[in-house]
Amino acid sequence: MAQPATGPAKGPCTSPPAAAGTAVHPVDEKLPPARLVPAALQHVAAMYAGVVTPPLIIGQAVGLDAAGMTRLIAASLLIAGLATLLQTLGAGRFAGNRLPFVNAASSAGIAPMLAIAETSAPGHQLPAIYGAVLVAGVFCLAVGPFFGRLLRFFPPLVTGVVITLIGVTLMPVPVGWAQGGDATADDFGAMKYLALAAFTLVVILLIQRFGRGFVKQVALLAGMFIGTLAAIPFGLADFSALGSAPVAALPAPFAFGPPEFQPAAILSLCIVMLVLMTESSAGMLALGEICDRRTDGPTITRGLRTDGIATLLGPVFGSFPTSAFAQNVGVVSLTRVRSRYVVAAAGGALLILGAFPVLGAVVSIVPMPVLGGAGIVLFGSIAVSGIRTLSEAGLDDSSNIILVAVALGAGIIPLAAPAFYAGFPSWAQTVLGSGISAGALVAVLLNLFFHHLGTHSRNAVALKSS
């Protein structure tokens, strides 16, 4: 994990205002439209697939129709836009880290929310999910100001396990998409679906290999677009959602029913929220170094407060837990365009997409096999991010190896044996039935056991004997 730069504090915004005649810091630079618009669109392209993934997966899991899926997608885009604008522009000293930082619904919450859906009665699935998300938002707001003291319990060893499990445990989702999406259909797994998924995957790989600049950055979206075009002659693309979606409409509050509060579901998502807060803090530290702007404690607190506000507001309109988008940190690092106003413009674009559901409905016409081919890349890349984090976590130490091995094993149990916890109480099934929650819980406990409990006394004995 990146560490904050040393040096004197620079005030609440981490950088003093530029005096007359002095250069503006790159983070505060306002680019001309000819540079700002393409740079903002690049951020939208880098994150769009990730933003719509949670509503696509959760909506399908709870059996929503095309109109319901459109509402979920529009809500996720709307909240992502609001959160990104608040994060980049700030609200005094209360919220917003004023860095080129993107916030949106995170894929980390998908597996726990699927577990909540599986243990809830039909018609109560989304209310139970949203009740847990609401409490997770309050939890983030309460813990955020003190989270710096808890970071030592979430080192790269723990976060690496969790991020790896996010990618691994979600892999069955794109595999199901590649087979047609509907496991009850007679033609589920038909060769036409598998061929379309494979074609999409190959297109993405070819663009990634031979593309340059912006084209390479949007390989995922370009592959989905080309895959959808290829599906049209075979009747595999459904355009009905475009005709039924309203052109402009804001998501209605609690359109899927009032929230329901289940203790096990709340515990599961609060655990995930801790992981998301760790990920956001790491992203802010890394982005501060990339932008040459110190990321201090107050900056992280304001950034996490934005996560909490967006997570609390999200369920009201139909969105999910919100956190940092690491791929956009990568865009800043790659392009060296560090202006927060570029990312604010990207947030404005997301806000517009959310306010016009017909634009969000475009995503629903992408055939399931096309999403499957792209999803293998998307979720596989998440697992790779976790592996990269683990590579920096000191795996030459035997205790760390055991910690990672047991935590990964605990996280993969629900994937390898879905009925493993069938005899457990329902609250335990919700927590342990999610590989991410189970793996995170085991990783945190083993990190305490190996690296915190009793370490002071052992160090004291070692010093006396030396």
Side-chain angles (χ1 to χ4, degrees):
M1 181 183 298
Q3 298 299 321
T6 58
K10 299 182 180 179
C13 297
T14 72
S15 181
T22 62
V24 176
H25 193 285
V27 169
D28 299 317
E29 184 181 5
K30 296 181 179 179
L31 302 180
R35 290 181 58 199
L36 184 142
V37 172
L41 290 177
Q42 185 163 253
H43 276 281
V44 174
M47 71 179 297
Y48 193 84
V51 175
V52 301
T53 293
L56 280 173
I57 296 176
I58 301 301
Q60 284 203 335
V62 301
L64 291 183
D65 57 13
M69 295 286 288
T70 299
R71 286 201 299 270
L72 277 191
I73 292 170
S76 289
L77 291 168
L78 184 74
I79 296 300
L82 289 172
T84 300
L85 284 170
L86 178 59
Q87 195 72 274
T88 52
L89 301 180
R93 299 187 179 185
F94 180 71
N97 57 30
R98 294 180 177 84
L99 290 169
F101 201 71
V102 172
N103 282 74
S106 172
S107 296
I110 294 176
M113 289 188 289
L114 288 177
I116 295 170
E118 290 173 2
T119 55
S120 300
H124 297 267
Q125 297 162 314
L126 281 177
I129 289 172
Y130 287 141
V133 176
L134 275 170
V135 177
V138 174
F139 176 74
C140 180
L141 288 172
V143 174
F146 315 101
F147 190 68
R149 303 173 190 173
L150 301 177
L151 278 176
R152 63 194 183 100
F153 299 117
F154 295 88
L157 199 65
V158 173
T159 56
V161 167
V162 175
I163 297 170
T164 303
L165 284 172
I166 291 171
V168 172
T169 58
L170 290 178
M171 195 54 70
V173 174
V175 171
W177 288 348
Q179 297 176 87
D182 184 2
T184 62
D186 294 335
D187 61 350
F188 182 72
M191 187 54 66
K192 60 181 179 180
Y193 297 141
L194 300 179
L196 183 56
F199 172 77
T200 303
L201 178 57
V202 169
V203 169
I204 293 171
L205 295 175
L206 289 174
I207 295 173
Q208 187 67 33
R209 171 63 180 83
F210 298 107
R212 294 291 182 271
F214 180 73
V215 174
K216 190 173 184 176
Q217 285 289 316
V218 298
L220 202 67
L221 282 179
M224 292 169 63
F225 176 73
I226 295 172
T228 301
L229 291 180
I232 294 174
F234 302 97
L236 297 178
D238 183 8
F239 293 88
S240 60
L242 287 177
S244 60
V247 175
L250 292 177
F254 300 116
F256 300 98
E260 299 177 5
F261 302 97
Q262 300 178 4
I266 290 169
L267 175 62
S268 178
L269 282 191
C270 283
I271 292 173
V272 170
M273 202 67 222
L274 284 172
V275 175
L276 293 181
M277 292 167 72
T278 305
E279 186 179 357
S280 274
S281 299
M284 283 183 265
L285 291 169
L287 197 56
E289 290 191 354
I290 293 169
C291 296
D292 193 27
R293 168 166 281 188
R294 185 187 176 204
T295 305
D296 55 11
T299 302
I300 292 177
T301 296
R302 292 196 306 273
L304 294 179
R305 192 170 284 136
T306 303
D307 286 356
I309 292 171
T311 301
L312 181 62
L313 184 62
V316 176
F317 296 103
S319 188
F320 303 106
T322 298
S323 181
F325 259 42
Q327 55 265 55
N328 292 84
V329 176
V331 171
V332 175
S333 177
L334 183 68
T335 63
R336 303 303 297 172
V337 177
R338 295 173 282 178
S339 170
R340 59 191 173 103
Y341 295 103
V342 166
V343 176
L350 292 172
L351 196 62
I352 293 172
L353 289 172
F356 291 87
V358 69
L359 299 176
V362 172
V363 180
S364 66
I365 72 174
V366 179
M368 283 293 126
V370 173
L371 287 174
I376 289 172
V377 178
L378 178 64
F379 297 130
S381 65
I382 295 174
V384 170
S385 297
I387 294 170
R388 184 170 58 234
T389 302
L390 286 174
S391 69
E392 304 169 358
L395 291 184
D396 53 340
D397 182 89
S398 60
S399 296
N400 290 348
I401 293 174
I402 293 296
L403 186 158
V404 172
V406 175
L408 286 176
I412 292 174
I413 284 175
L415 187 66
F420 188 84
Y421 298 109
F424 283 59
S426 58
W427 65 267
Q429 290 183 44
T430 302
V431 176
L432 299 177
S434 162
I436 297 172
S437 296
L441 190 60
V442 170
V444 169
L445 292 176
L446 288 182
N447 181 55
L448 286 171
F449 177 70
F450 282 119
H451 301 301
H452 293 277
L453 297 179
T455 54
H456 296 298
S457 60
R458 288 201 299 269
N459 291 338
V461 171
L463 287 172
K464 288 181 180 179
S465 61
S466 61

